[in-house]
Amino acid sequence: MRWRFVLGEVGIGLRRNLTMTAATVITVAVSLTMLGGALLTRAQVDQMKGFWYDKVEVAVFLCGDASAETACPDGAVTDEQRTQIEADLRALPNVEEVFYESQEEAFARFQEQFKNTAILENVTADVLPESFRVKLANPEDYAVVYSAFNGRPGVEQVQDQRALLEKFFKFLNGVQVAALFLAVFMIVAVVLLIANTMQVLAFSRRRETGIMRLVGASNAYIQLPFILEAMLAALLGSVLAVFALALVMYFGIQNWLAGNFQFIAYIGWGTFWSVTLVVVAIGLSLSALASWVTVQRYLRV
C-alpha cells in the first residue's frame, strides 16, 4: 500500500473541506470534554462515597432535659441507662468502636462547625443532647442498631449519618446523569457531522475513486483516506478536550476545591489519565466507525 499517496489524499480532503473539518474538531472537543467531565464527576462521587462511608457513624442520641416529651416520656437518661446502653452497643457483633460525646463536647463541636455565624447566639450546651457515636464494620448494618435501640428508655433518637450523605450524593448523581445525557447528545451530533462530511468528501472525489477502482484498487485502499481524515479530526478534538479537562483538573479540583474544602477526598491524576484514555479511545473509535459506515454506504465507484 502506497502510504504517501494515501496521506496525500488525506491532505487534499482536509484542504477541500477546511470549514467542515474545523467544525468537526470543535464539536468533537466539546463533546469529549463533556463526556470526560461526566466520567470525572462519576469517579469523584465514587471517591467521596468510599471516603465518607468509611467514616460515617450511627449516632444514638440520649434523652436530656431539653428533649421532647413524645420522644423521651421518662425524662432525661439516667446513669444506669447510659451505662447499659453503652454496654449493649459494644456487645453488638458488627460494632467496631463506640465513642461517648457529652453535651459539652457536642457544644464545642457545634461551635467549630458554625463559628462566625449568628446561630451560635441562640444555642447553649444544655440544649444539645449527649450521644454515643457508633462505628460499624459495615455501614449497611444500620438497621440492626436502629431496631435494637430506637424507642428504648433513655434514647431520644437513632440517626444514620449515611442517610444525610445520600441526599448529597443523589444530587451529585443527578448532575452526573445530566452531564452524561448531554455528552451522549453531543456525541450523536459528532457522528452525524462526521457522516455528513464523509458524504461530501465521497461525492467531491468520486472521479478520483472511480479511477482508483479501474486500476484495481481495493475497497479498503479507497476508503482508508476517508477514515484517516475523520480520525485525524477526532484526534485534534481529543487533544483539545484533554487540555480542557486538564485545566479543570488542575485549577478546579486540585487547587480551588482541594484548597477550600479540605475535608473531601479528591481524585488524583491517575484517575484523570485513565478517564482521558477512555475519552480519546471513544472519540477515535466513533469517528472511524462513522466514516467507515458512511463511505461503505454512500461511496459508489
Side-chain angles (χ1 to χ4, degrees), residues 228-241:
L228 291 179
E229 289 171 33
M231 293 186 67
L232 180 58
L235 179 61
L236 293 175
S238 300
V239 171
L240 294 177

Side-chain angles (χ1 to χ4, degrees), residues 178-284:
L180 280 174
F181 270 113
L182 192 54
V184 170
F185 177 80
M186 294 297 295
I187 287 175
V188 172
V190 169
V191 172
L192 294 177
L193 182 59
I194 291 176
N196 184 61
T197 303
M198 292 302 103
Q199 292 182 53
V200 173
L201 288 175
F203 180 80
S204 65
R205 291 155 60 180
R206 63 190 183 281
R207 182 177 179 181
E208 292 90 334
T209 53
I211 295 173
M212 292 172 64
R213 172 59 63 86
L214 291 175
V215 299
S218 64
N219 287 338
Y221 189 76
I222 295 173
Q223 294 169 2
L224 184 58
F226 297 97
I227 297 175
L228 291 179
E229 289 171 33
M231 293 186 67
L232 180 58
L235 179 61
L236 293 175
S238 300
V239 171
L240 294 177
V242 171
F243 180 73
L245 291 173
L247 293 178
V248 172
M249 182 71 181
Y250 180 76
F251 292 103
I253 297 179
Q254 296 290 320
N255 285 355
W256 188 78
L257 286 177
N260 291 279
F261 304 96
Q262 299 179 1
F263 52 86
I264 297 176
Y266 295 98
I267 56 176
W269 286 103
T271 303
F272 169 81
W273 289 118
S274 299
V275 167
T276 53
L277 285 176
V278 172
V279 167
V280 172
I282 290 176
L284 294 178

Side-chain angles (χ1 to χ4, degrees), residues 125-165:
D126 59 303
V127 301
L128 297 177
E130 54 185 312
S131 63
F132 287 107
R133 305 287 173 159
V134 183
K135 178 67 183 298
L136 299 177
N138 181 8
E140 300 288 342
D141 292 336
Y142 157 75
V144 176
V145 180
Y146 182 84
S147 60
F149 291 91
N150 189 55
R152 177 172 172 165
V155 176
E156 179 180 2
Q157 181 186 9
V158 180
Q159 184 183 79
D160 182 13
Q161 295 180 346
R162 188 170 58 103
L164 303 178
L165 293 175

Side-chain angles (χ1 to χ4, degrees), residues 34 55 76 81 98 107 112 118 127 153 173 183 229 233 242 258 262 273:
M34 297 181 64
K55 297 179 180 298
Q81 288 174 335
V98 177
F107 183 63
E112 179 64 25
V127 301
N173 287 332
E229 289 171 33
V242 171
Q262 299 179 1
W273 289 118

Side-chain angles (χ1 to χ4, degrees), residues 18 45 163:
L18 186 59
V45 171

